[in-house]
Amino acid sequence: GGGADDLRLIQGVGPDEEKTLNAKGVYHYDQVADWDAGNTAWASNLFGAPGRVEAEKWVSQAKVLAAGRDTAYSVLLRAARKRAGEGLGASGAAGTAAAAAS
């Protein structure tokens, strides 16, 4: 229910992954947080990368986000987006988020 969560706050979920997940009915952190091994295998295979969801720890990140808390990545991404809104531009924000996440 309600508006969709910003699944891109899960490290490894970009705009394309978010659109694909939404098209499959996945809109909320709590949905991802409840995934079992079968669901994570399904999602990894959906993106053509077996083991990807498990390796990128989407479920554990989603649990934190579903509880209303931030992950280290979501803090960095939110800060990069804020800076982008203050004049860095999209490429500066993406580069900053990528550099900070590594």
Side-chain angles (χ1 to χ4, degrees):
D5 291 327
D6 184 356
L7 298 178
R8 293 169 297 157
L9 291 177
I10 298 171
Q11 188 171 11
V13 177
D16 292 339
E17 289 85 1
E18 183 177 50
K19 286 178 189 174
T20 299
L21 289 169
N22 290 169
K24 297 293 185 181
V26 180
Y27 296 95
H28 301 286
Y29 303 131
D30 62 346
Q31 289 176 281
V32 178
D34 288 340
W35 283 355
D36 61 16
N39 298 117
T40 57
W42 165 81
S44 290
N45 289 328
L46 182 64
F47 299 112
R52 174 182 174 187
V53 171
E54 297 90 339
E56 293 177 348
K57 301 182 183 351
W58 289 17
V59 173
S60 60
Q61 292 181 70
K63 286 179 182 181
V64 172
L65 294 165
R69 299 187 316 265
D70 275 312
T71 64
Y73 178 77
S74 67
V75 168
L76 293 172
L77 185 56
R78 288 180 202 272
R81 287 176 176 173
K82 183 177 179 183
R83 285 191 301 274
E86 295 172 356
L88 265 183
S91 63
T96 302
S102 53

